[in-house]
Amino acid sequence: MTSPSAPFSVLCEPGFNPHQLNKYATLMTCGNGYLGIRGGHEEAYTDQVRGMFVAGFYHRATPDEVTELVNLPDITGCKIEFGNTPFSLLAGKLLSYRREFHPELGELCRELIWQSPEGGLFSLKSARFVARAPQQLVAATLTLTALDQETPLRLTTGIDATQTNSGRQHLTEASVRVMHQHTLQGCYRTPEGDMALMISSHCRLSSDDARISYAAKNRQLNQQFSTTLRVGVPLTLEKISWVDVCLPGDAEPENWDEHCLAQLAPQVEQGYAALRAASLQQWQRWWPQARVEVGSSDPFDQLALDMSAYHLAAMTPAHDERCSVAAKGLTGEGYKGHVFWDTDIFILPYHLLTRPETARALLRYRYHRLPQAQQKAARCGYEGALFPWESAFTGDEETPAFGLINIRTGLRQPVASALAEHHLVADIAYAAVGYLQATGDAQFQATETQALLKACALFWLSRTTEVNGRLELHDVIGPDEYTEHINNNAYTNYLAHYCVAQALHYLPDTPEHEDVHTRGRDFLARCVLPQPDNERVIPQDDSFFSKPTIDLTRYQAKAGTQSILLDYSRAEVNEMQILKQADLIMLFFLLPSLFSREVQRANLDYYLPRTIHDSSLSKAIYAIVACRNGMADLAWPLYREAMAIDLGPEPHSCDDGIHAAATGAIWLGAIMGFAGLEYQEGQLVLSPRLPPHWKTLRFPLCWRGEQLQVSISHQQLQIEKANDAPLSICVHGTLHSFTRRLVLALEH
Amino acid sequence: MTSPSAPFSVLCEPGFNPHQLNKYATLMTCGNGYLGIRGGHEEAYTDQVRGMFVAGFYHRATPDEVTELVNLPDITGCKIEFGNTPFSLLAGKLLSYRREFHPELGELCRELIWQSPEGGLFSLKSARFVARAPQQLVAATLTLTALDQETPLRLTTGIDATQTNSGRQHLTEASVRVMHQHTLQGCYRTPEGDMALMISSHCRLSSDDARISYAAKNRQLNQQFSTTLRVGVPLTLEKISWVDVCLPGDAEPENWDEHCLAQLAPQVEQGYAALRAASLQQWQRWWPQARVEVGSSDPFDQLALDMSAYHLAAMTPAHDERCSVAAKGLTGEGYKGHVFWDTDIFILPYHLLTRPETARALLRYRYHRLPQAQQKAARCGYEGALFPWESAFTGDEETPAFGLINIRTGLRQPVASALAEHHLVADIAYAAVGYLQATGDAQFQATETQALLKACALFWLSRTTEVNGRLELHDVIGPDEYTEHINNNAYTNYLAHYCVAQALHYLPDTPEHEDVHTRGRDFLARCVLPQPDNERVIPQDDSFFSKPTIDLTRYQAKAGTQSILLDYSRAEVNEMQILKQADLIMLFFLLPSLFSREVQRANLDYYLPRTIHDSSLSKAIYAIVACRNGMADLAWPLYREAMAIDLGPEPHSCDDGIHAAATGAIWLGAIMGFAGLEYQEGQLVLSPRLPPHWKTLRFPLCWRGEQLQVSISHQQLQIEKANDAPLSICVHGTLHSFTRRLVLALEH
């Protein structure tokens, strides 16, 4: 493409606000798929939750807890004392403040001028990033200047292992020491000893005349610098750290401590600025394959897309097939770092169409855990594979037993997802099929896809209940988690049907698979697929239409907060026509060709007012389905709200971590909604319908091994690629074939 | 006595100061020997460490950690939000502030007027106490008034189990629920399941129109009240809690949850004011047997004595012989709640001479743990009993392996106390003998004392090294912990000698004890007892005089902070004539009659300048010995500094808990220093030497089953008792006998 890229967006915190500490700590998380570090301030605040997470570093604190992604010892905190006054923005006076996150390279920067309660005027500048490579590298810098009076300064920073996951401790402090009179090093292990973490941190002060002392007490290893700030002379502290882990099964390097020091030393040598430049270069090589650019009259749209792309990279452990994407990425403790269907359905498509090898790794994460899924199925009395509703490192079921307090009984309400939210099995099969459509990866088809599809199909074959000669799926939970333990959830039944059909398609009709084929054909013939009624509305499940409706306006106004559970118990919500999130609409999103435009529109009209959107998986899906069905007036506002789930004005939008699926859905909305991309049936489809205020939409695509660049305006669609092999694409229902460049005029 | 008691002192915080949060949280701990709750503010501050501790509730987080007194889930925190503004004294403007602790009944009160950053004016009053009985009861009240504008108010409080010991978690959340739509109840267990905690908290708001909601998430069980503060209408929240535990070996009551609710209900019925009155009554019955009253020109002196008496009661688990007094009582995490010789030597005498049954319980704590002490002795190759340097519930050795970082090597320095600080064995024997002297408890003598003395003596008999026909004690650490691994520490040798001599005295010369008698006589004859040199100075140990001296002035100025270890490694300190604390002087304190006044004075002059007082066990002991030897100019300033160890101006004097031994030493200084009380040889001795600014000193004494009331002025000593049995007392070297009342004129 000849036109230059749009400048990168910058996320600015609107000002210091103690109510939004954790929202911005989440949004400003630095990460690289291996490591995530929340954007906490150097100084402490009571409500500020720090966090450092390494993909796959899960642990169960005690047998009756669930496994969780461990909140590792903190290296970002720094106590700053001017004279006897600790620096805190809650005290004194803030004369200027600017805090920014640069998704271009994942750098968090702060710059402020502060007057202490005693009157001294100081400037503070700090910055921090996690390197794109080497992934273990974390660099931070802090510069302080006294603006009007010489002031004694004390800086205390180090490795703080008092960090817990909301009070649950996972690590023992195996050793802490000061290596070579310079580098703090802490080694931490899980009590069982099968995982370890080695943090090495080197601090350098720009002044030589500081008094330095070290302390190790109460799980904190600290270095303290005492010096004097002279007026107008900036003092800089650079802290370069190396965060290395051994996951279960990893062999611990010999002399690991010295090994880490040897890795750290050349990085320290370079210093913050050079390390930053090197990391930026790595990011700059990556962006052209990832970035979606919109020519929008509202800069927020590009910001949301840039933040989405950055966070999709930062959350995805593309380097290690033993891990997958957590529901909050590596940005917070929420959902305990577990992997849900979010990954397979909301996040995987982005990787599939930009870096398919990452999608492959995510599917292989599922593939490696087939044995555990087969064990769970067997335990529950089924055949095939029943993947855990919440998955972590081992592939065992990790869903917590209890959720919120029941407002009637005072008891915590059991979480039923692990018992009945079985659509996940079809979702994974759907993702595996999608991967084949977009890549044509024959090797994967012959092994992973066949194994996954067979195991998933077998599950559904054994999951049925025969009623009057038809096969029904009883006692399930569909995507809508406010409607539990129902029969023949339309989403589940259609997806199960699709799963079995695809298994029959991909599994060779050999004696080895004869049983699946025979039973599968019977299943496809007899499986109940709920049909539209006279108003073209498909019942979400057998009993849904029989339930009463209430006005949900006030709960929709607080979407995402589950405020309805303050008025009704879960059991009561279950007995009304209340959707937490897209359910039937989710089915339209995944299998659009099965339903006519009229049916889709009728159901959108019916279900939208009944949906609270208390799940972040909802609005973007409604937006995409609305867009595809020409309901532009509905599509844009829903998409706009979906983009704002984390980034919007709500001060606690994402305190305990970003909504990873919603982050993926920002990409989905642009590409699968407004560009109208579909691929599930093996044909690349684009049906652009840009919102009026978007002049252009440009994005890279990786389709069957080829790198495409797509540019869309209201007038024109243009696709470029680098080689001469012909490619066919369906645009608004018409098939086009081209080699290097396709330019099509679009009708209005 | 006819004269009325002095009014009770009140500890006032000089003003809100974020640097002193933890000092005052410690000093203002509410407790009753069973339960201790730190005096944290309702609102959170980053540096504020909350704490709730139950005596004996120890747990080891992981196998490589040491056992520690568990910091239990918090019930004191309350998030107060005026409109959207959280209440915090770091923001807005504090127009008036008064925070007091009343040792009379252990009540913490706060009263303030605060202007929020938005300008609204509010008054806040709060109070809290832990009942003297029933010991499980905690009552708190909080009253808020809007002074100038109607304001929405949100109060959130409950049971917060994110609490850890510096990041170490000991409890799993076994169940949390809201009982009977009213009472929060959390049950917490150690992972091994041998200990449990049941907290039940009932909140009542004075207004009926609040919206109430409950939440249980991330180890927090909370109740939230949303209402509106009307101008001038006070709103009161009363929170009454019941904190019950099952220690190892306790049978868990059937329906424990309901049982606790049943205990709580009648307390809730009464409300804060009535509960307070009832607890006060209990305290008022106790004070006459405990209180030391001084007619001093400085009210600080009475404050220190009242705080000492309160905390000595609050720290001592008199109700349960399975526990003893922790080095920080129940006020903080410091020293991990372990029991040291502090209890036997610094705290026990107070109980012995006021409530001897408590001293008996503390000795029986040691007696019950003889088997573990015998096992430790055997493991170390000795006979008899080697008590653990740090003890907790089981009586096993609990001393942590490592202390501070070595400033030369960067490694944490090993803690040698458990290996060599063996004087503890003689200290316990000394305390057991003292108990007999003061009580004449024949039953105890026949069982516990004999068993303890025999086991302790056997240890010393096996601990010797023969050198040129004499028996030496090699490789020990005396009370002075800055001098490690030395031979023939005078304190240790004399105390060991005393221990063996007392064993021979109390053990009948029967065949059963023949071996001890034979070997004991030989030990007494040949044991090295270091003698004064030409300057009458006794060497602290064999090598002490050969070491160099340095000027310690700057370290003495920072006594208590171990600042010398920032300049020298422990190994280097060991090679100089540097005392952390009283060592030989400690010996004079315990066995004064063995040493002439001239020798005592010469050694005081020699060792004082070589002592940093980095231990809180030092200054009061120097003061007492100085006082007894007529060195009044030295005695008072040292005692004044000893009283100020926790209560003085140092902002971090006792962040991680009170100095329990120093608290005991405040009593020791008054009674054994200025009143000149001695009792070790079976004769009650008083040799009053009041400081000039003390007009009177009055205190109760329990001596051999009789309740005495002692009143001392510069002119006169008066003792009263209630029965006609004659009692002999030695005053300034002269023996007096009396029945009900003794009045003696004192010479100047």
Side-chain angles (χ1 to χ4, degrees):
Chain A
M1 305 288 285
T2 48
S3 53
S5 290
F8 268 92
S9 314
V10 176
L11 176 69
C12 290
E13 191 181 359
F16 177 76
N17 179 344
H19 289 290
Q20 305 197 350
L21 285 170
N22 287 319
K23 169 184 172 177
Y24 282 95
T26 291
L27 292 172
M28 296 182 166
T29 293
C30 303
N32 58 23
Y34 161 79
L35 181 65
I37 300 183
R38 283 170 66 76
H41 292 284
E42 284 81 3
E43 69 280 11
Y45 296 96
T46 52
D47 290 336
Q48 174 174 279
V49 179
R50 299 191 190 279
M52 179 163 89
F53 306 93
V54 165
F57 204 101
Y58 290 99
H59 183 253
R60 187 189 300 264
T62 57
D64 57 331
E65 291 277 0
V66 291
T67 297
E68 61 191 346
L69 191 66
V70 177
N71 196 339
L72 301 172
D74 175 66
I75 54 175
T76 64
C78 181
K79 187 165 189 181
I80 303 167
E81 291 169 281
F82 297 112
N84 203 23
T85 304
F87 170 67
S88 165
L89 297 181
L90 294 178
K93 209 167 150 187
L94 193 51
L95 302 180
S96 74
Y97 180 85
R98 195 171 168 81
R99 189 156 178 257
E100 301 177 337
F101 184 79
H102 298 266
E104 182 178 14
L105 77 161
E107 190 186 37
L108 167 59
C109 303
R110 182 165 67 145
E111 201 170 327
L112 61 88
I113 296 177
W114 182 71
Q115 187 164 40
S116 85
E118 284 72 37
L121 216 57
F122 303 95
S123 99
L124 177 152
K125 293 183 196 182
S126 68
R128 171 201 309 167
F129 67 89
V130 169
R132 186 161 166 90
Q135 292 181 309
Q136 293 89 342
L137 178 64
V138 184
T141 175
L142 169 69
T143 300
L144 301 168
T145 315
L147 300 179
D148 62 350
Q149 51 189 264
E150 189 168 301
T151 309
L153 173 75
R154 208 155 55 213
L155 296 175
T156 312
T157 188
I159 307 172
D160 177 5
T162 64
Q163 198 69 1
T164 64
N165 289 63
S166 300
R168 290 173 297 273
Q169 182 54 265
H170 296 282
L171 295 171
T172 64
E173 190 186 50
S175 81
V176 286
R177 62 176 295 190
V178 184
M179 300 287 276
H180 306 161
Q181 305 233 11
H182 260 113
T183 307
L184 305 179
Q185 191 173 67
C187 179
Y188 307 89
R189 296 179 188 278
T190 53
E192 301 74 22
D194 60 339
M195 277 189 285
L197 165 72
M198 183 79 74
I199 301 181
S200 313
S201 265
H202 182 281
C203 290
R204 182 167 43 201
L205 205 64
S206 58
S207 149
D208 283 340
D209 61 359
R211 188 181 156 97
I212 302 176
S213 69
Y214 299 96
K217 203 181 171 188
N218 284 332
R219 297 179 65 97
Q220 295 183 314
L221 175 62
N222 274 325
Q223 183 166 12
Q224 188 172 81
F225 300 90
S226 304
T227 184
T228 300
L229 270 187
R230 277 186 289 277
V231 177
V233 184
L235 185 84
T236 296
L237 175 73
E238 283 195 10
K239 183 174 183 180
I240 314 289
S241 305
W242 189 263
V243 179
D244 203 7
V245 298
C246 280
L247 297 184
D250 289 348
E252 191 171 308
E254 250 187 281
N255 301 322
W256 191 22
D257 50 355
E258 290 290 349
H259 172 80
C260 290
L261 287 192
Q263 300 290 314
L264 178 60
Q267 312 292 344
V268 168
E269 205 60 39
Q270 289 193 60
Y272 187 90
L275 293 174
R276 180 191 183 281
S279 184
L280 177 58
Q281 245 180 13
Q282 304 253 14
W283 281 104
Q284 283 169 337
R285 281 200 286 275
W286 169 84
W287 276 106
Q289 287 167 57
R291 192 169 186 219
V292 179
E293 292 178 59
V294 283
S296 168
S297 58
D298 183 351
F300 175 80
D301 302 344
Q302 185 63 52
L303 172 68
L305 287 160
D306 284 344
M307 288 294 287
S308 161
Y310 174 79
H311 275 300
L312 283 164
M315 74 173 69
T316 305
H319 62 289
D320 190 342
E321 288 177 359
R322 299 173 299 174
C323 321
S324 184
V325 182
K328 303 288 186 184
L330 299 171
T331 67
E333 294 177 18
Y335 290 117
K336 300 183 185 298
H338 293 171
V339 181
F340 292 70
W341 69 306
D342 306 36
T343 301
D344 309 277
I345 295 297
F346 291 82
I347 295 164
L348 187 135
Y350 157 78
H351 292 297
L352 176 56
L353 294 164
T354 56
R355 289 210 150 189
E357 65 271 29
T358 300
R360 186 172 181 277
L362 296 176
L363 285 167
R364 279 176 56 83
Y365 167 81
R366 295 295 193 184
Y367 172 71
H368 293 313
R369 276 147 193 82
L370 264 174
Q372 287 75 24
Q374 285 162 330
Q375 284 157 23
K376 184 181 170 187
R379 264 200 315 279
C380 299
Y382 302 119
E383 296 172 57
L386 174 51
F387 283 91
W389 179 248
E390 301 189 20
S391 185
F393 194 79
T394 63
D396 291 322
E397 180 60 72
E398 308 284 5
T399 306
F402 294 103
L404 297 181
I405 286 260
N406 183 312
I407 56 148
R408 306 281 176 239
T409 64
L411 289 168
R412 286 207 283 187
Q413 302 171 101
V415 174
S417 301
L419 306 175
E421 203 156 348
H422 290 165
H423 64 79
L424 163 76
V425 175
D427 303 332
I428 291 171
Y430 177 92
V433 170
Y435 173 76
L436 293 189
Q437 310 296 0
T439 64
D441 183 339
Q443 164 83 55
F444 193 85
Q445 175 178 333
T447 52
E448 289 89 342
T449 308
Q450 285 196 11
L452 283 166
L453 284 180
K454 184 173 182 179
C456 293
L458 272 173
F459 169 76
W460 292 115
L461 299 182
S462 69
R463 180 64 176 79
T464 56
T465 303
E466 188 168 337
V467 178
N468 298 330
R470 307 209 313 165
L471 298 179
E472 304 198 342
L473 296 173
H474 285 187
D475 192 21
V476 299
I477 305 174
D480 163 27
E481 293 178 327
Y482 281 169
T483 310
E484 295 181 354
H485 303 299
I486 33 84
N487 297 342
N488 297 315
N489 166 256
Y491 176 93
T492 305
N493 286 28
Y494 276 95
L495 262 287
H497 189 274
Y498 177 85
C499 168
V500 173
Q502 295 295 324
L504 298 198
H505 177 73
Y506 283 105
L507 286 172
D509 201 350
T510 58
E512 187 193 346
H513 306 305
E514 192 187 331
D515 174 54
V516 184
H517 274 278
T518 312
R519 291 165 63 200
R521 280 190 297 269
D522 176 56
F523 174 89
L524 295 180
R526 295 203 289 145
C527 174
V528 167
L529 295 174
Q531 296 301 314
D533 67 5
N534 292 339
E535 266 73 52
R536 296 200 178 96
V537 181
I538 300 174
Q540 186 172 308
D541 61 72
D542 283 357
S543 59
F544 193 82
F545 286 167
S546 69
K547 296 174 178 175
T549 304
I550 60 166
D551 179 12
L552 296 177
T553 319
R554 53 186 277 222
Y555 306 115
Q556 287 164 331
K558 291 183 171 184
T561 66
Q562 307 201 5
S563 58
I564 194 164
L565 296 181
L566 300 178
D567 294 335
Y568 298 95
S569 72
R570 260 194 114 95
E572 290 165 334
V573 170
N574 202 43
E575 295 312 313
M576 297 186 280
Q577 291 194 25
I578 298 175
L579 280 70
K580 185 177 173 193
Q581 66 207 90
D583 192 286
L584 200 78
I585 307 307
M586 192 75 216
L587 170 60
F588 297 165
F589 167 65
L590 294 182
L591 298 174
S593 62
L594 298 187
F595 304 93
S596 70
R597 173 169 290 203
E598 290 69 31
V599 166
Q600 294 196 36
R601 285 184 168 184
N603 281 280
L604 228 152
D605 285 339
Y606 185 84
Y607 284 103
L608 189 55
R610 290 166 170 81
T611 305
I612 301 181
H613 305 295
D614 267 345
S615 161
S616 68
L617 311 185
S618 192
K619 283 179 177 167
I621 301 304
Y622 270 99
I624 291 167
V625 172
C627 188
R628 285 178 180 167
N629 286 288
M631 301 161 86
D633 291 353
L634 218 50
W636 175 255
L638 280 163
Y639 181 65
R640 181 63 178 70
E641 289 173 26
M643 287 196 293
I645 284 175
D646 288 335
L647 290 165
E650 160 59 32
H652 300 286
S653 61
C654 52
D655 284 359
D656 61 354
I658 51 160
H659 293 85
T663 305
I666 294 176
W667 186 89
L668 293 178
I671 308 304
M672 307 189 73
F674 300 110
L677 183 144
E678 295 176 28
Y679 63 92
Q680 196 62 28
E681 321 223 338
Q683 172 63 54
L684 184 59
V685 173
L686 287 175
S687 309
R689 288 181 192 85
L690 296 198
H693 72 294
W694 283 12
K695 271 202 217 134
T696 57
L697 172 63
R698 300 196 305 168
F699 54 93
L701 269 189
C702 187
W703 178 256
R704 296 202 164 235
E706 279 202 76
Q707 193 63 43
L708 317 185
Q709 186 66 35
V710 182
S711 301
I712 299 170
S713 67
H714 287 276
Q715 293 75 33
Q716 183 183 290
L717 165 72
Q718 176 179 317
I719 308 180
E720 289 179 302
K721 64 190 190 71
N723 75 20
D724 290 330
L727 177 69
S728 83
I729 181 166
C730 178
V731 179
H732 283 302
T734 309
L735 211 59
H736 302 267
S737 186
F738 71 104
T739 54
R740 286 187 167 254
R741 188 157 189 247
L742 173 71
V743 182
L744 281 180
L746 296 176
E747 289 172 28
H748 279 270
Chain B
M1 307 286 284
T2 47
S3 54
S5 291
F8 268 91
S9 314
V10 175
L11 176 68
C12 290
E13 191 181 359
F16 177 76
N17 180 344
H19 289 290
Q20 305 198 350
L21 285 170
N22 287 320
K23 169 184 173 178
Y24 282 95
T26 291
L27 292 171
M28 296 183 166
T29 293
C30 303
N32 59 21
Y34 161 79
L35 182 65
I37 299 183
R38 284 170 64 78
H41 293 284
E42 284 81 5
E43 69 279 11
Y45 295 97
T46 52
D47 290 336
Q48 174 174 279
V49 179
R50 298 191 191 279
M52 179 162 90
F53 307 93
V54 166
F57 203 102
Y58 290 98
H59 182 252
R60 187 189 300 264
T62 57
D64 57 334
E65 292 277 359
V66 291
T67 297
E68 61 192 345
L69 191 66
V70 178
N71 196 339
L72 301 172
D74 175 67
I75 54 175
T76 64
C78 180
K79 187 165 190 181
I80 303 166
E81 291 168 282
F82 297 112
N84 203 23
T85 304
F87 170 66
S88 165
L89 297 180
L90 295 177
K93 209 167 153 187
L94 193 52
L95 302 180
S96 76
Y97 181 85
R98 193 169 169 82
R99 190 158 177 255
E100 301 176 337
F101 184 77
H102 298 266
E104 183 178 13
L105 76 162
E107 190 186 36
L108 167 59
C109 303
R110 181 165 68 145
E111 202 171 325
L112 60 88
I113 296 178
W114 182 71
Q115 185 164 42
S116 85
E118 285 72 36
L121 216 56
F122 303 95
S123 101
L124 177 152
K125 291 182 197 181
S126 68
R128 169 200 313 165
F129 68 90
V130 169
R132 186 160 166 91
Q135 292 182 309
Q136 293 90 343
L137 178 64
V138 185
T141 175
L142 169 70
T143 300
L144 300 168
T145 314
L147 300 179
D148 63 350
Q149 51 189 265
E150 188 168 303
T151 310
L153 173 75
R154 211 158 49 214
L155 296 174
T156 312
T157 189
I159 307 172
D160 177 5
T162 64
Q163 199 68 1
T164 64
N165 289 63
S166 300
R168 289 174 297 272
Q169 182 55 261
H170 296 282
L171 295 171
T172 64
E173 190 186 51
S175 81
V176 286
R177 61 176 295 192
V178 184
M179 299 287 276
H180 305 161
Q181 306 233 13
H182 261 114
T183 307
L184 305 179
Q185 190 173 66
C187 179
Y188 307 89
R189 296 179 188 278
T190 54
E192 300 75 21
D194 60 341
M195 277 189 284
L197 165 72
M198 183 79 73
I199 301 181
S200 313
S201 265
H202 182 279
C203 289
R204 183 168 42 203
L205 206 64
S206 59
S207 149
D208 282 341
D209 63 358
R211 188 182 156 98
I212 302 176
S213 68
Y214 299 96
K217 201 181 171 189
N218 285 332
R219 297 178 65 95
Q220 296 182 314
L221 175 61
N222 274 325
Q223 184 166 12
Q224 188 172 82
F225 300 90
S226 304
T227 184
T228 300
L229 271 187
R230 277 186 291 275
V231 177
V233 183
L235 186 84
T236 297
L237 174 73
E238 283 196 10
K239 184 175 183 180
I240 314 290
S241 305
W242 189 264
V243 179
D244 203 5
V245 299
C246 281
L247 297 184
D250 289 349
E252 191 171 309
E254 249 186 282
N255 301 321
W256 190 22
D257 49 354
E258 290 291 349
H259 173 80
C260 290
L261 288 192
Q263 299 292 314
L264 178 61
Q267 311 292 344
V268 168
E269 205 60 39
Q270 289 192 60
Y272 188 88
L275 294 174
R276 178 190 185 282
S279 185
L280 177 58
Q281 245 180 12
Q282 304 255 15
W283 281 104
Q284 282 168 340
R285 279 200 285 276
W286 170 83
W287 276 105
Q289 286 168 57
R291 193 171 185 217
V292 179
E293 291 179 58
V294 283
S296 168
S297 58
D298 184 351
F300 175 80
D301 303 344
Q302 185 63 51
L303 172 68
L305 286 161
D306 283 343
M307 288 293 288
S308 161
Y310 174 79
H311 275 300
L312 283 164
M315 74 174 68
T316 305
H319 62 290
D320 191 343
E321 288 177 358
R322 298 173 300 174
C323 321
S324 185
V325 182
K328 303 287 187 186
L330 300 170
T331 68
E333 294 176 19
Y335 290 116
K336 301 183 186 298
H338 292 171
V339 181
F340 293 69
W341 69 305
D342 306 36
T343 301
D344 308 277
I345 296 297
F346 292 82
I347 294 163
L348 186 135
Y350 157 78
H351 292 297
L352 177 55
L353 294 163
T354 57
R355 291 211 149 187
E357 64 272 30
T358 301
R360 185 171 181 276
L362 295 176
L363 286 167
R364 279 177 56 84
Y365 167 79
R366 295 295 193 186
Y367 171 72
H368 292 312
R369 276 147 194 82
L370 264 174
Q372 287 74 26
Q374 285 163 330
Q375 284 158 22
K376 183 181 171 188
R379 265 200 315 281
C380 299
Y382 303 119
E383 295 173 57
L386 174 52
F387 283 93
W389 180 247
E390 302 188 19
S391 185
F393 194 79
T394 63
D396 292 321
E397 179 59 74
E398 307 284 4
T399 306
F402 295 103
L404 297 181
I405 287 258
N406 182 311
I407 56 150
R408 306 278 176 240
T409 64
L411 289 168
R412 286 207 281 187
Q413 301 171 102
V415 174
S417 301
L419 306 175
E421 203 155 348
H422 290 165
H423 63 80
L424 162 75
V425 175
D427 303 332
I428 291 171
Y430 178 92
V433 171
Y435 173 76
L436 293 189
Q437 310 295 0
T439 64
D441 182 340
Q443 165 83 53
F444 194 84
Q445 175 178 331
T447 52
E448 289 88 343
T449 309
Q450 286 196 10
L452 283 166
L453 283 180
K454 183 171 182 179
C456 293
L458 272 172
F459 169 75
W460 292 115
L461 298 182
S462 69
R463 181 65 177 78
T464 56
T465 303
E466 187 167 341
V467 178
N468 299 329
R470 308 209 312 162
L471 298 179
E472 306 199 337
L473 296 173
H474 285 187
D475 192 20
V476 299
I477 305 174
D480 163 26
E481 293 179 326
Y482 281 169
T483 311
E484 294 181 354
H485 303 300
I486 34 83
N487 297 341
N488 297 316
N489 166 257
Y491 176 91
T492 305
N493 286 29
Y494 275 95
L495 263 287
H497 190 274
Y498 178 84
C499 168
V500 173
Q502 294 295 324
L504 297 199
H505 177 73
Y506 283 106
L507 286 172
D509 201 351
T510 58
E512 189 193 345
H513 304 305
E514 192 188 330
D515 174 56
V516 183
H517 274 278
T518 312
R519 292 165 63 199
R521 281 191 295 271
D522 176 57
F523 175 89
L524 295 180
R526 297 202 288 144
C527 175
V528 167
L529 294 174
Q531 297 300 314
D533 68 2
N534 293 340
E535 266 74 50
R536 297 201 178 94
V537 181
I538 299 174
Q540 186 172 308
D541 61 72
D542 283 358
S543 58
F544 192 81
F545 286 168
S546 69
K547 296 174 177 174
T549 303
I550 60 167
D551 179 12
L552 296 178
T553 319
R554 54 187 275 224
Y555 306 116
Q556 287 164 332
K558 290 183 172 183
T561 66
Q562 308 203 6
S563 58
I564 194 162
L565 296 181
L566 299 178
D567 293 334
Y568 298 95
S569 73
R570 260 195 113 94
E572 290 164 335
V573 170
N574 202 44
E575 295 311 314
M576 297 186 279
Q577 290 194 24
I578 298 175
L579 279 70
K580 186 177 173 193
Q581 66 209 88
D583 191 286
L584 200 77
I585 306 308
M586 192 76 216
L587 170 60
F588 298 165
F589 167 64
L590 294 182
L591 298 174
S593 62
L594 298 186
F595 306 93
S596 70
R597 174 170 289 205
E598 291 69 30
V599 166
Q600 294 196 36
R601 285 183 169 184
N603 281 279
L604 229 152
D605 285 341
Y606 184 84
Y607 283 104
L608 190 54
R610 289 167 171 81
T611 304
I612 299 180
H613 306 295
D614 266 345
S615 162
S616 67
L617 311 186
S618 192
K619 282 179 178 166
I621 301 303
Y622 270 99
I624 291 167
V625 173
C627 188
R628 286 178 179 167
N629 287 289
M631 302 162 85
D633 291 354
L634 219 50
W636 176 256
L638 281 164
Y639 181 65
R640 181 64 178 72
E641 288 172 26
M643 287 196 293
I645 285 175
D646 288 335
L647 291 165
E650 161 58 32
H652 301 286
S653 61
C654 52
D655 284 0
D656 60 355
I658 52 159
H659 294 84
T663 305
I666 293 176
W667 185 90
L668 293 178
I671 309 304
M672 307 190 74
F674 299 110
L677 182 143
E678 295 176 26
Y679 62 94
Q680 195 62 30
E681 320 224 337
Q683 173 61 56
L684 183 59
V685 173
L686 288 174
S687 308
R689 290 179 191 86
L690 296 197
H693 72 294
W694 283 12
K695 272 202 221 138
T696 57
L697 171 63
R698 301 196 304 166
F699 53 94
L701 269 190
C702 188
W703 177 256
R704 296 206 166 231
E706 281 203 73
Q707 194 62 44
L708 318 185
Q709 186 66 34
V710 182
S711 301
I712 299 170
S713 68
H714 288 276
Q715 294 75 33
Q716 180 184 291
L717 165 71
Q718 173 180 319
I719 309 181
E720 289 178 301
K721 64 189 191 70
N723 76 20
D724 290 329
L727 177 68
S728 83
I729 182 166
C730 178
V731 178
H732 282 304
T734 310
L735 211 59
H736 303 268
S737 187
F738 71 104
T739 54
R740 286 188 167 252
R741 189 159 188 243
L742 173 70
V743 181
L744 281 180
L746 296 176
E747 288 171 28
H748 278 271

